[in-house]
Amino acid sequence: MAERVGIYVCHCGSNIAGMVDVEEVAKWAGVAIPDVVVARDYKFMCSSLGQQMIEEDIKKEKLTRVVVAACSPHLHEKTFRRACQNAGLNPFLCQMTNLREHCSWVSTDRLAATAKAKALVYAAAERVKRQQPLEPMPVKVNPTTLVVGGGIAGIQATLELADAGYKVYLVERSPSIGGHMAQFDKTFPTLDCSACILTPKMSEVGQHENVTLLTYSELEEVSGSVGNFQVKIRKKARHVDYDKCTGCGICIEKCPRKVIDHEFEAGLGYRKAIYTPFPQAVPRIPVIDTESCIWFTRGKCQACSKLCPTQAIDYDQQDETIEIEVGNIIVSTGWNLFDCTKLPQYGYGRLANVYTNMEFERLCNAAGPTNGKILMRDGKTEPDSVAIIHCVGSRDSRHNEGCSAVCCMAALKFGHLVLEKTKAKVYSFYIDMRPNQKAYEEFYQRLLEEGMIFVRGKVAEVTDAARQPSEEGKLIVQAEDTLLGKQQRYPVDMVILMGAMEPQADAKELGLKCGISCSMAGWYTERHPKLDPVATMTDGLFVAGVCQGPKDIPASVAQGAAAAARVMGMITKGTVMIEPIVASIDEEECSGCRICNNLCPFNAIEYDEEKGVSRVVTALCKGCGTCVAACPAGAITGAHFNNQQIMAEIRGALWDAAPEAKEEPAAV
């Protein structure tokens, strides 16, 4: 019995219709493609009226297959599948073809784009005739969640879930949670103390009955799928017994070895070889830096072990791997600061009083190395003039093309702190001011009133080469003032570089472990930038905070809460329906060669020793097709992507090359 196919071509406003003759494609499809009984075009097929049109046609015309030629299936495949299901048609008998990204947006020739659109529609129609009804598979959701990254976004997500009564594992690679926010002095635009708003949340996480805190730990491996992930975590050896330590701090006080603190103090302060990153650290369990410790490097000392009142020091402690099972994973791994030495024209690392923004955060922090006093590198002299240079490594085609989102406001904050704590003159060298959130513009106006001097123009270089007596002993900022239209030289005592936000160095590596893709810049890719900004293409995996892209603290907190809400929605359902697009093995054809077992990236194929055949674990299979392509016996079939369907799609795409297609039917 012949199928009854309905074809629906979307204008997508002018996104498709601007380059493709949509009406022509619809009329042609109704005549040229076999078994098509309905062919329509519509302005916005994804609208309620467009969906209603499809539903009515399925019932009235008794359609058995549906093709929607519109935008990316990632955006609206679920929409049209739901419309088919509402009309009583199995949702997997609906096929989308992408005329927007694959045709209209990549074409400049209207005739060629229209011809390509016809080929795509024909291919989809031939494929959908051979598709089979499938049913989604229910999977129980483990109510425990893993949060990777203990910055403000991860902390917020953890507390939202824990307060709702669900168990959470929070993994953080540093010895303490808190992230970069723990290093800040004030937060813009309210200028409230960063520690005052962060440390209560940190303390709550550390004491919460539903939170298992795994600091100084790293994610090693993720397997399984939504609702049932198996995770391996490596707990690095602290060389301090977690259960015995009381956090008294005697070991830190008595340790004779001091080293520069490149992590928390950004290289401006010192810490001991056994240390907690900062006084409010959670947990307050020290860590021994084995590369600096005298016992580990020379075999002498043991002062911390001898003086510890609870005998908590354990030099023989080894890394430990633990395995946990969780239903969902939230990744909130944060960001790195751009390496300002990559721009040698600004003198960082060469000229003493050129600072990065993170160094200045510690410099003006009351708990920092200078107790909040803004001093130059000699530790004594207060600057008389300060230059703040925006967009260092941002909006730069050689490094980071995107804007780092927070630099303008952070620069305004720094200017306020300098004006508040010193009598220095402050220059701000900017390309564009972008105070685009609530109360940000008002903060900018406040700095104008306080006397901060704004110079619009990109800085060419920072040098100490004086040209006249007034420049002796100064740093010279050479910049073009684009409002005045001329080059200017500004002698100052201190320069602050607003370094760019960059993805973590191992973001792509972690993404591969979890099944999250990255953008070209290295930020994690969300399912949809507008409609689904916290979900990823892997079900059960969510992103929150700056790991997804540059953003400020309020946006990170909101995204952490949003990711937690998505997870809670899945937990409260109890079960989730997963795609039935999985591989299956014909055991009679399987030779037991085990090639597929070794190739499966999701460990979804097990080997039956007794029968000598392989078998797919459907709950773990993602339908990627690796095993299908690799099987030498052809014993593996991919549901919804079998050979018959793929070959029919190829023949459909080449419809105009077939002998019977040389004389195209006249358009009606």
Side-chain angles (χ1 to χ4, degrees), residues 227-271:
N228 186 28
F229 290 104
Q230 292 80 46
V231 181
K232 290 183 181 180
I233 298 166
R234 180 168 60 91
K235 293 178 67 177
K236 293 180 282 188
R238 288 177 178 265
H239 301 290
V240 176
D241 191 305
Y242 200 102
D243 297 322
K244 291 181 180 179
C245 180
T246 61
C248 67
I250 292 175
C251 56
I252 300 173
E253 179 186 343
K254 300 300 182 181
C255 177
R257 176 71 165 154
K258 269 190 177 183
V259 295
I260 296 173
D261 186 351
H262 289 287
E263 290 81 32
F264 190 78
E265 296 293 356
L268 296 183
Y270 291 85
R271 61 165 171 79

Side-chain angles (χ1 to χ4, degrees), residues 112-126:
T114 301
K116 182 178 180 181
K118 291 178 180 179
L120 291 173
V121 170
Y122 206 126
E126 290 302 304

Side-chain angles (χ1 to χ4, degrees), residues 446-503:
R446 175 178 176 177
L447 265 295
L448 286 170
E449 293 169 5
E450 288 180 359
M452 191 171 178
I453 302 168
F454 292 88
V455 180
R456 187 178 185 276
K458 195 167 179 66
V459 172
E461 70 169 335
V462 177
T463 179
D464 59 353
R467 292 183 183 174
Q468 47 193 0
S470 61
E471 295 179 350
E472 291 292 340
K474 298 281 188 177
L475 296 172
I476 316 303
V477 179
Q478 178 81 32
E480 179 187 5
D481 188 327
T482 59
L483 298 179
L484 294 178
K486 62 179 182 179
Q487 290 281 335
Q488 300 273 74
R489 288 170 65 86
Y490 299 85
V492 296
D493 296 317
M494 178 186 289
V495 172
I496 305 167
L497 304 179
M498 304 305 297
M501 279 183 167
E502 290 189 329

Side-chain angles (χ1 to χ4, degrees), residues 526-659:
E526 60 287 321
R527 186 182 289 272
H528 190 275
K530 300 178 184 68
L531 303 180
D532 213 349
V534 296
T536 67
M537 295 308 297
T538 300
D539 291 339
L541 275 158
F542 301 87
V543 289
V546 184
C547 67
Q548 184 234 4
K551 55 181 66 70
D552 57 13
I553 292 169
S556 296
V557 170
Q559 205 168 31
R566 292 293 299 275
V567 170
M568 281 189 272
M570 299 176 73
I571 294 172
T572 52
K573 276 185 179 179
T575 60
V576 292
M577 306 302 289
I578 63 173
E579 290 272 288
I581 301 172
V582 295
S584 60
I585 297 176
D586 184 344
E587 294 186 7
E588 293 184 2
E589 297 292 331
C590 179
S591 65
C593 67
R594 306 184 70 171
I595 290 174
C596 58
N597 299 65
N598 298 323
L599 288 177
C600 180
F602 303 100
N603 298 314
I605 303 178
E606 60 185 14
Y607 184 71
D608 188 328
E609 295 282 357
E610 186 177 334
K611 292 185 176 181
V613 297
S614 293
R615 188 178 293 112
V616 175
V617 181
T618 55
L620 301 181
C621 180
K622 294 291 183 182
C624 69
T626 302
C627 59
V628 179
C631 180
I636 309 179
T637 302
H640 212 58
F641 289 92
N642 62 37
N643 289 346
Q644 186 185 18
Q645 292 161 357
I646 298 300
M647 293 307 296
E649 190 170 14
I650 293 171
R651 285 194 298 271
L654 299 173
W655 70 273
D656 56 344

Side-chain angles (χ1 to χ4, degrees), residues 75-339:
L75 183 58
H76 279 308
E77 187 172 54
K78 287 185 178 179
T79 301
F80 296 114
R81 281 183 178 178
R82 185 170 58 248
C84 292
Q85 190 169 27
N86 291 342
L89 184 67
N90 186 282
F92 291 91
L93 301 180
C94 172
Q95 176 70 14
M96 280 194 75
T97 188
N98 190 347
L99 298 192
R100 190 176 69 179
E101 285 87 343
H102 290 177
C103 189
S104 176
W105 281 0
V106 294
S107 300
T108 56
D109 184 326
R110 185 173 176 81
L111 289 175
T114 301
K116 182 178 180 181
K118 291 178 180 179
L120 291 173
V121 170
Y122 206 126
E126 290 302 304
R127 185 191 206 285
V128 78
K129 294 176 195 176
R130 292 157 179 81
Q131 288 175 192
Q132 301 296 319
L134 300 173
E135 294 297 333
M137 298 177 291
V139 172
K140 288 186 177 179
V141 178
N142 185 328
T144 302
T145 303
L146 171 67
V147 178
V148 184
I152 185 59
I155 288 172
Q156 185 67 33
T158 298
L159 288 176
E160 296 280 353
L161 288 162
D163 288 343
Y166 303 116
K167 188 174 180 182
V168 184
Y169 289 94
L170 176 56
V171 175
E172 167 58 45
R173 69 168 58 175
S174 300
S176 169
I177 59 173
H180 286 296
M181 189 175 170
Q183 296 175 277
F184 298 164
D185 178 37
K186 298 285 198 301
T187 60
F188 56 77
T190 53
L191 294 175
D192 44 359
C193 170
S194 181
C196 295
I197 56 179
L198 176 66
T199 52
K201 284 183 173 288
M202 292 170 55
S203 179
E204 190 177 351
V205 167
Q207 298 173 18
H208 207 293
E209 59 182 4
N210 290 328
V211 178
T212 301
L213 195 55
L214 299 171
T215 55
Y216 209 50
S217 303
E218 293 195 28
L219 191 68
E220 288 283 290
E221 183 181 317
V222 177
S223 58
S225 59
V226 58
N228 186 28
F229 290 104
Q230 292 80 46
V231 181
K232 290 183 181 180
I233 298 166
R234 180 168 60 91
K235 293 178 67 177
K236 293 180 282 188
R238 288 177 178 265
H239 301 290
V240 176
D241 191 305
Y242 200 102
D243 297 322
K244 291 181 180 179
C245 180
T246 61
C248 67
I250 292 175
C251 56
I252 300 173
E253 179 186 343
K254 300 300 182 181
C255 177
R257 176 71 165 154
K258 269 190 177 183
V259 295
I260 296 173
D261 186 351
H262 289 287
E263 290 81 32
F264 190 78
E265 296 293 356
L268 296 183
Y270 291 85
R271 61 165 171 79
K272 298 294 185 69
I274 182 170
Y275 69 100
T276 52
F278 53 100
Q280 300 84 15
V282 174
R284 282 184 53 80
I285 308 297
V287 172
I288 294 180
D289 176 4
T290 56
E291 294 182 1
S292 304
C293 175
I294 298 172
W295 170 254
F296 281 96
T297 55
R298 303 181 198 170
K300 300 177 181 179
C301 186
Q302 290 192 326
C304 55
S305 178
K306 294 171 183 175
L307 295 170
C308 178
T310 60
Q311 287 78 51
I313 306 300
D314 182 1
Y315 297 121
D316 297 323
Q317 191 179 74
Q318 300 294 317
D319 291 1
E320 176 188 358
T321 299
I322 64 171
E323 297 185 16
I324 61 174
E325 292 186 355
V326 297
N328 293 276
I329 300 172
I330 298 174
V331 177
S332 54
T333 48
W335 56 281
N336 267 345
L337 180 66
F338 173 73
D339 180 3

